[in-house]
Amino acid sequence: MNFEQFLVNLWNGLLNFAVAYGFKILGTLLILLIGPFVIKCIIKTVSKGKKFNKLDRNTQTLIIDIIKVSLYVLLAAIITANIGIPAATIAAVIASCGLVIGLALQGSLSNFAGGIMILVFKPFRIGDCIETGSYLGTVTDIGIFYTSITTFDNKVVTIPNGTISNSSVIDYSTNELRRVDLKIRIALDSDIELAKETLHDLADMHELVIHEDPDHPIFVRIGEQTEDALVIYFRTWVKNVDYWTVYFDLLEASKQIFDGRGITIPYKQLDVHINNGDNTEK
């Protein structure tokens, strides 16, 4: 076979390959280019739906994530089918991969189940201030597998949904009102009634404290008596958003008003007794 014949055979082979597989390759490339764009359009359309916008934010986030993952899996199946792989083979591969992935990602599946539980039972929502484990902050995102909260010192903490769904969660944003609890120490020889009256006056003067509400009264009583102090339980009710403002205001002002009225805040003392007696050896 001479060189010219080799080129003719090569050209014919390329033509046959182009005829047989060219359209499949071209179709696959088009699907790869158009598919992600179509998925974005579908997600955008869903997110603008009236019924969808009536859902709370964490439900919206989970639904969008589930739709996105499902559409990309479908896109991968279409591409493999377009290449010429039989549908039965694709189904078998997906089933096998699902089993392997399920065994390898048991923790992730637990997180996914936790995300579904958060979606269904709604123990908290995006924007709520929650405490779970050792973390306290505002919920900024609820995904399929993880929930993100931003702490008060602006750290972003990503917590697995499986951990949250199996842990106790304190939601500080559910109720409109919240109680401020303070423990104020005074000296044992202090005038108790004057101290109680002083704290009542302090609460009455603060404009953010709830006043004259029989269901949420101001509470000032002796709660503990230690070796060196009396401990007054000082409790007031405020709006949730005003909690920390009132907490620090009352704590700071209590020291100032006590000083002005001669009420002593005790300090720990150590009494040392020296025995000057003679120690005579026998």
Side-chain angles (χ1 to χ4, degrees):
M1 180 184 296
N2 56 31
F3 183 70
E4 292 181 359
Q5 186 65 36
F6 171 76
L7 292 177
V8 170
N9 292 337
L10 178 61
W11 177 252
N12 290 332
L14 291 174
L15 287 176
N16 292 332
F17 179 82
V19 172
Y21 299 101
F23 289 108
K24 290 184 178 180
I25 295 174
L26 181 60
T28 301
L29 292 175
L30 288 175
I31 293 172
L32 283 172
L33 292 173
I34 298 174
F37 175 75
V38 173
I39 290 174
K40 290 180 180 179
C41 290
I42 293 173
I43 293 174
K44 188 176 181 180
T45 302
V46 172
S47 63
K48 289 184 177 180
K50 293 182 179 180
K51 292 184 179 180
F52 180 81
N53 288 323
K54 291 180 180 179
L55 301 173
D56 55 89
R57 290 179 62 189
N58 54 334
T59 303
Q60 292 178 6
T61 302
L62 282 175
I63 290 176
I64 290 298
D65 288 345
I66 292 173
I67 292 176
K68 186 182 296 184
V69 171
S70 302
L71 289 176
Y72 274 107
V73 171
L74 178 60
L75 177 62
I78 292 174
I79 291 173
T80 53
N82 186 72
I83 292 174
I85 301 175
T89 303
I90 296 174
V93 171
I94 291 176
S96 301
C97 291
L99 178 61
V100 173
I101 293 173
L103 293 174
L105 301 177
Q106 294 182 18
S108 296
L109 293 177
S110 173
N111 295 335
F112 176 78
I116 297 299
M117 292 180 66
I118 294 173
L119 169 65
V120 174
F121 297 105
K122 301 176 183 178
F124 53 84
R125 294 175 171 81
I126 293 176
D128 284 1
C129 177
I130 68 169
E131 180 179 356
T132 178
S134 58
Y135 302 110
L136 172 65
T138 302
V139 179
T140 54
D141 182 63
I142 301 175
I144 295 179
F145 298 103
Y146 299 95
T147 293
S148 298
I149 67 173
T150 301
T151 62
F152 293 118
D153 55 351
N154 206 33
K155 296 177 182 177
V156 177
V157 182
T158 302
I159 308 173
N161 286 336
T163 301
I164 294 180
S165 62
N166 292 309
S167 304
S168 299
V169 177
I170 301 174
D171 191 339
Y172 294 105
S173 301
T174 300
N175 296 322
E176 182 182 358
L177 300 182
R178 186 175 173 187
R179 193 178 71 187
V180 178
D181 290 357
L182 293 173
K183 292 184 177 181
I184 308 296
R185 291 162 52 88
I186 61 174
L188 291 172
D189 57 353
S190 298
D191 186 332
I192 296 176
E193 293 304 319
L194 177 60
K196 291 166 58 178
E197 180 183 348
T198 299
L199 293 178
H200 264 291
D201 293 342
L202 181 62
D204 290 335
M205 289 186 295
H206 203 296
E207 59 181 8
L208 297 180
V209 172
I210 304 298
H211 302 102
E212 300 179 358
D213 184 348
D215 295 327
H216 303 93
I218 298 171
F219 181 89
V220 183
R221 296 291 299 273
I222 298 294
E224 299 177 33
Q225 180 173 339
T226 66
E227 294 180 353
D228 58 352
L230 297 173
V231 182
I232 301 178
Y233 287 6
F234 183 25
R235 299 170 179 172
T236 62
W237 289 87
V238 299
K239 291 183 178 180
N240 210 315
V241 295
D242 298 327
Y243 177 84
W244 289 111
T245 300
V246 175
Y247 179 92
F248 291 116
D249 284 352
L250 295 181
L251 193 60
E252 293 176 1
S254 62
K255 174 66 168 63
Q256 297 172 356
I257 197 170
F258 275 4
D259 289 345
R261 297 189 180 185
I263 301 172
T264 306
I265 296 178
Y267 300 93
K268 289 186 177 296
Q269 299 178 357
L270 177 64
D271 294 333
V272 179
H273 300 275
I274 300 175
N275 186 358
N276 292 323
D278 295 334
N279 295 323
T280 305
E281 292 185 5
K282 294 182 179 180

